[in-house]
Amino acid sequence: MKTTSLAHMPIGLVDPQKSSFWRPVRIAGAFILAILLLFGFVGPLIVSFDPLAQDYGAVLVGPGHDVHWLGTDHFGRSMLARLVHGAQLSFIMACVTALSAAIPGIALGIFAASRGGWVERGLVALSDIVLALPGLLLVLLLLAFAPGQFWPLYLGLALYLWVEFFRVARIETARVLQLPCCEATRLLGFGNVYILKRIILPALAGPMMTLFAFAMGTAIIAVSTLSAIHVGLRPPTPELGAMIVELMPYYSEAPLQVLMPAVVIFLLVLSLQLLAGRKS
Protein backbone atom coordinates (compact mmCIF):
# COMPACT_ATOMS: atom_id res chain seq x y z
CA MET A 1 0.00 0.00 0.00
CA LYS A 2 1.36 3.44 -0.93
CA THR A 3 1.96 5.76 2.04
CA THR A 4 1.82 9.52 2.05
CA SER A 5 5.18 11.15 2.67
CA LEU A 6 5.41 13.50 5.61
CA ALA A 7 7.54 15.79 3.45
CA HIS A 8 4.32 17.08 1.91
CA MET A 9 2.82 18.10 5.23
CA PRO A 10 3.80 21.81 4.98
CA ILE A 11 1.52 22.16 1.97
CA GLY A 12 -1.38 22.06 4.38
CA LEU A 13 -0.12 25.27 5.97
CA VAL A 14 -0.74 27.27 2.79
CA ASP A 15 -4.11 28.80 2.01
CA PRO A 16 -4.86 27.85 -1.63
CA GLN A 17 -6.60 31.18 -2.17
CA LYS A 18 -3.46 33.07 -1.11
CA SER A 19 -0.80 30.83 -2.58
CA SER A 20 -0.33 32.78 -5.81
CA PHE A 21 2.73 34.98 -5.54
CA TRP A 22 2.88 36.39 -9.03
CA ARG A 23 -0.08 38.77 -9.03
CA PRO A 24 -0.21 41.68 -11.55
CA VAL A 25 1.28 44.17 -9.08
CA ARG A 26 4.25 41.93 -8.38
CA ILE A 27 4.72 41.20 -12.08
CA ALA A 28 4.88 44.96 -12.70
CA GLY A 29 7.45 45.35 -9.92
CA ALA A 30 9.55 42.48 -11.26
CA PHE A 31 9.42 43.96 -14.78
CA ILE A 32 10.59 47.39 -13.62
CA LEU A 33 13.34 45.85 -11.50
CA ALA A 34 14.49 43.63 -14.37
CA ILE A 35 14.78 46.67 -16.67
CA LEU A 36 16.81 48.52 -14.02
CA LEU A 37 19.07 45.52 -13.46
CA LEU A 38 19.71 45.26 -17.20
CA PHE A 39 20.45 48.97 -17.23
CA GLY A 40 22.83 48.74 -14.27
CA PHE A 41 24.64 45.48 -15.00
CA VAL A 42 24.51 45.15 -18.78
CA GLY A 43 24.88 48.87 -19.36
CA PRO A 44 28.60 48.99 -18.45
CA LEU A 45 29.24 46.45 -21.21
CA ILE A 46 27.60 48.78 -23.74
CA VAL A 47 28.48 52.22 -22.37
CA SER A 48 32.23 52.60 -22.74
CA PHE A 49 32.48 55.98 -21.02
CA ASP A 50 34.28 56.32 -17.70
CA PRO A 51 31.81 57.79 -15.14
CA LEU A 52 34.68 59.85 -13.68
CA ALA A 53 36.11 61.14 -16.99
CA GLN A 54 35.68 64.91 -17.36
CA ASP A 55 35.11 66.81 -20.60
CA TYR A 56 35.17 70.57 -20.06
CA GLY A 57 34.29 71.12 -23.68
CA ALA A 58 30.82 69.63 -23.04
CA VAL A 59 29.59 70.91 -19.68
CA LEU A 60 25.89 70.59 -18.80
CA VAL A 61 24.89 69.62 -22.34
CA GLY A 62 21.37 68.27 -22.61
CA PRO A 63 20.17 64.82 -23.69
CA GLY A 64 20.56 63.99 -27.35
CA HIS A 65 24.19 65.00 -27.64
CA ASP A 66 26.11 63.20 -30.39
CA VAL A 67 28.46 61.55 -27.89
CA HIS A 68 26.72 61.87 -24.52
CA TRP A 69 23.21 60.51 -25.11
CA LEU A 70 21.79 61.69 -21.76
CA GLY A 71 23.93 64.81 -21.55
CA THR A 72 26.66 65.67 -19.05
CA ASP A 73 26.98 67.12 -15.56
CA HIS A 74 28.78 70.28 -14.40
CA PHE A 75 32.17 68.60 -14.88
CA GLY A 76 31.36 67.28 -18.34
CA ARG A 77 30.96 63.70 -17.07
CA SER A 78 28.61 61.42 -18.98
CA MET A 79 25.22 61.24 -17.24
CA LEU A 80 24.48 57.90 -18.89
CA ALA A 81 27.69 56.35 -17.55
CA ARG A 82 27.13 57.79 -14.08
CA LEU A 83 23.50 56.64 -13.96
CA VAL A 84 24.47 53.14 -15.06
CA HIS A 85 27.12 52.81 -12.37
CA GLY A 86 24.92 54.56 -9.79
CA ALA A 87 22.05 52.12 -10.32
CA GLN A 88 24.46 49.20 -10.04
CA LEU A 89 26.04 50.59 -6.86
CA SER A 90 22.69 51.28 -5.19
CA PHE A 91 21.35 47.80 -5.94
CA ILE A 92 24.50 46.02 -4.75
CA MET A 93 24.67 48.04 -1.54
CA ALA A 94 20.98 47.46 -0.83
CA CYS A 95 21.20 43.73 -1.55
CA VAL A 96 24.32 43.21 0.60
CA THR A 97 22.80 45.23 3.45
CA ALA A 98 19.48 43.36 3.35
CA LEU A 99 21.24 39.97 3.25
CA SER A 100 23.45 40.92 6.19
CA ALA A 101 20.36 41.91 8.14
CA ALA A 102 18.17 38.98 7.09
CA ILE A 103 20.54 36.08 7.81
CA PRO A 104 21.26 36.85 11.50
CA GLY A 105 17.76 38.24 12.06
CA ILE A 106 15.99 35.10 10.82
CA ALA A 107 18.45 32.77 12.56
CA LEU A 108 18.11 34.56 15.91
CA GLY A 109 14.32 34.74 15.56
CA ILE A 110 14.04 30.98 14.99
CA PHE A 111 16.51 30.30 17.82
CA ALA A 112 14.64 32.55 20.25
CA ALA A 113 11.24 30.99 19.51
CA SER A 114 12.64 27.46 19.70
CA ARG A 115 14.51 27.90 22.97
CA GLY A 116 12.20 30.30 24.81
CA GLY A 117 12.94 31.26 28.41
CA TRP A 118 15.81 33.62 29.23
CA VAL A 119 17.31 33.21 25.75
CA GLU A 120 14.20 34.61 24.11
CA ARG A 121 13.81 37.36 26.71
CA GLY A 122 17.44 38.42 26.26
CA LEU A 123 17.21 38.59 22.47
CA VAL A 124 13.92 40.48 22.63
CA ALA A 125 15.51 42.97 25.06
CA LEU A 126 18.46 43.41 22.66
CA SER A 127 16.10 44.08 19.75
CA ASP A 128 14.20 46.64 21.85
CA ILE A 129 17.47 48.43 22.64
CA VAL A 130 18.33 48.65 18.94
CA LEU A 131 14.83 49.93 18.13
CA ALA A 132 15.22 52.64 20.77
CA LEU A 133 18.03 54.14 18.65
CA PRO A 134 17.01 55.99 15.46
CA GLY A 135 18.36 54.06 12.50
CA LEU A 136 20.14 56.99 10.86
CA LEU A 137 21.73 57.95 14.19
CA LEU A 138 23.29 54.49 14.44
CA VAL A 139 24.68 54.87 10.92
CA LEU A 140 26.01 58.35 11.71
CA LEU A 141 27.80 57.06 14.79
CA LEU A 142 29.63 54.48 12.67
CA LEU A 143 30.32 56.99 9.89
CA ALA A 144 32.23 59.09 12.41
CA PHE A 145 34.96 56.43 12.37
CA ALA A 146 35.27 56.29 8.56
CA PRO A 147 33.51 59.18 6.79
CA GLY A 148 32.57 58.58 3.18
CA GLN A 149 33.34 54.85 3.28
CA PHE A 150 31.04 51.99 2.33
CA TRP A 151 31.44 49.69 5.35
CA PRO A 152 29.98 52.00 8.06
CA LEU A 153 26.94 52.62 5.86
CA TYR A 154 26.51 48.91 5.25
CA LEU A 155 27.18 47.87 8.86
CA GLY A 156 25.00 50.57 10.43
CA LEU A 157 22.00 49.78 8.23
CA ALA A 158 22.40 46.03 8.73
CA LEU A 159 22.60 46.45 12.52
CA TYR A 160 19.33 48.34 12.44
CA LEU A 161 17.39 46.33 9.86
CA TRP A 162 18.02 42.88 11.41
CA VAL A 163 15.49 43.68 14.15
CA GLU A 164 12.48 43.49 11.83
CA PHE A 165 13.58 40.12 10.48
CA PHE A 166 14.13 38.89 14.05
CA ARG A 167 10.72 40.00 15.33
CA VAL A 168 8.71 38.56 12.44
CA ALA A 169 10.72 35.32 12.37
CA ARG A 170 10.29 34.83 16.13
CA ILE A 171 6.54 35.40 16.05
CA GLU A 172 5.97 33.22 12.99
CA THR A 173 8.18 30.43 14.31
CA ALA A 174 6.38 30.43 17.66
CA ARG A 175 3.04 30.21 15.85
CA VAL A 176 4.16 27.36 13.58
CA LEU A 177 5.66 25.37 16.48
CA GLN A 178 2.24 25.32 18.16
CA LEU A 179 0.52 23.77 15.13
CA PRO A 180 -0.61 20.11 15.36
CA CYS A 181 1.58 19.16 12.40
CA CYS A 182 4.74 19.98 14.38
CA GLU A 183 3.66 17.82 17.30
CA ALA A 184 2.73 14.99 14.94
CA THR A 185 6.11 15.27 13.25
CA ARG A 186 7.89 14.91 16.60
CA LEU A 187 5.75 11.93 17.59
CA LEU A 188 6.70 10.22 14.35
CA GLY A 189 10.35 10.54 15.33
CA PHE A 190 11.53 13.36 13.10
CA GLY A 191 14.07 15.75 14.62
CA ASN A 192 14.36 19.51 14.87
CA VAL A 193 16.36 19.81 11.66
CA TYR A 194 13.59 18.14 9.67
CA ILE A 195 10.96 20.42 11.27
CA LEU A 196 13.10 23.46 10.48
CA LYS A 197 13.61 22.52 6.82
CA ARG A 198 10.14 21.16 6.04
CA ILE A 199 7.81 23.26 8.18
CA ILE A 200 9.36 26.40 9.67
CA LEU A 201 11.40 27.70 6.73
CA PRO A 202 8.58 27.24 4.16
CA ALA A 203 6.24 29.10 6.50
CA LEU A 204 8.75 31.95 6.84
CA ALA A 205 9.52 32.25 3.13
CA GLY A 206 6.66 34.61 2.22
CA PRO A 207 7.01 37.09 5.10
CA MET A 208 10.80 37.14 4.78
CA MET A 209 10.67 37.86 1.04
CA THR A 210 8.38 40.80 1.76
CA LEU A 211 10.66 42.10 4.50
CA PHE A 212 13.71 41.64 2.29
CA ALA A 213 12.22 43.82 -0.43
CA PHE A 214 11.26 46.48 2.12
CA ALA A 215 14.76 46.35 3.63
CA MET A 216 16.38 46.89 0.22
CA GLY A 217 14.14 49.88 -0.43
CA THR A 218 14.95 51.31 2.99
CA ALA A 219 18.68 50.88 2.35
CA ILE A 220 18.50 52.66 -1.02
CA ILE A 221 16.63 55.62 0.48
CA ALA A 222 18.93 55.78 3.53
CA VAL A 223 22.15 55.81 1.46
CA SER A 224 20.74 58.49 -0.84
CA THR A 225 19.56 60.57 2.13
CA LEU A 226 22.94 60.40 3.84
CA SER A 227 24.65 61.44 0.62
CA ALA A 228 22.25 64.39 0.42
CA ILE A 229 23.51 65.68 3.80
CA HIS A 230 27.14 65.11 2.78
CA VAL A 231 27.85 62.23 5.18
CA GLY A 232 27.41 59.32 2.79
CA LEU A 233 29.62 58.22 -0.07
CA ARG A 234 31.79 61.09 -1.20
CA PRO A 235 32.13 62.53 -4.70
CA PRO A 236 33.18 61.68 -7.34
CA THR A 237 31.62 58.26 -6.54
CA PRO A 238 28.62 57.90 -8.92
CA GLU A 239 26.04 57.44 -6.16
CA LEU A 240 22.52 58.54 -7.09
CA GLY A 241 21.86 60.67 -4.00
CA ALA A 242 25.24 62.38 -4.28
CA MET A 243 24.57 63.10 -7.96
CA ILE A 244 21.36 64.96 -7.08
CA VAL A 245 23.16 67.10 -4.49
CA GLU A 246 26.05 67.89 -6.83
CA LEU A 247 23.71 69.00 -9.62
CA MET A 248 21.17 70.89 -7.51
CA PRO A 249 22.94 74.29 -7.87
CA TYR A 250 22.54 73.92 -11.64
CA TYR A 251 18.85 73.04 -11.60
CA SER A 252 17.76 76.13 -13.52
CA GLU A 253 20.31 75.44 -16.27
CA ALA A 254 19.93 71.65 -16.52
CA PRO A 255 16.79 70.44 -14.70
CA LEU A 256 16.79 67.07 -16.48
CA GLN A 257 20.23 66.23 -15.11
CA VAL A 258 18.91 66.69 -11.56
CA LEU A 259 15.77 64.65 -12.22
CA MET A 260 17.49 61.67 -13.85
CA PRO A 261 19.11 60.17 -10.70
CA ALA A 262 15.94 60.98 -8.73
CA VAL A 263 13.87 59.01 -11.25
CA VAL A 264 16.23 56.02 -10.99
CA ILE A 265 15.94 56.06 -7.18
CA PHE A 266 12.16 56.32 -7.44
CA LEU A 267 11.90 53.41 -9.87
CA LEU A 268 14.22 51.21 -7.80
CA VAL A 269 12.22 51.78 -4.62
CA LEU A 270 8.88 51.51 -6.47
CA SER A 271 9.80 48.16 -8.01
CA LEU A 272 10.83 46.77 -4.61
CA GLN A 273 7.65 48.06 -2.96
CA LEU A 274 5.52 46.43 -5.66
CA LEU A 275 7.39 43.14 -5.21
CA ALA A 276 6.76 43.36 -1.47
CA GLY A 277 3.02 43.83 -1.97
CA ARG A 278 0.62 42.13 0.41
CA LYS A 279 -0.96 38.80 -0.44
CA SER A 280 -4.44 40.17 -0.10
Side-chain angles (χ1 to χ4, degrees), residues 13 15 57 73 103 122 129 137 141 150 193 221 261:
L13 299 177
D15 185 351
D73 65 3
I103 293 172
I129 292 172
L137 177 60
L141 290 173
F150 166 71
V193 174
I221 293 173

Side-chain angles (χ1 to χ4, degrees), residues 88-102:
Q88 181 185 116
L89 177 64
S90 292
F91 183 83
I92 291 174
M93 288 185 64
C95 191
V96 170
T97 301
L99 274 174
S100 300

Side-chain angles (χ1 to χ4, degrees), residues 2-20:
K2 183 178 179 180
T3 59
T4 302
S5 172
L6 193 63
H8 298 290
M9 185 178 293
I11 295 176
L13 299 177
V14 181
D15 185 351
Q17 296 180 349
K18 298 182 179 182
S19 59
S20 177

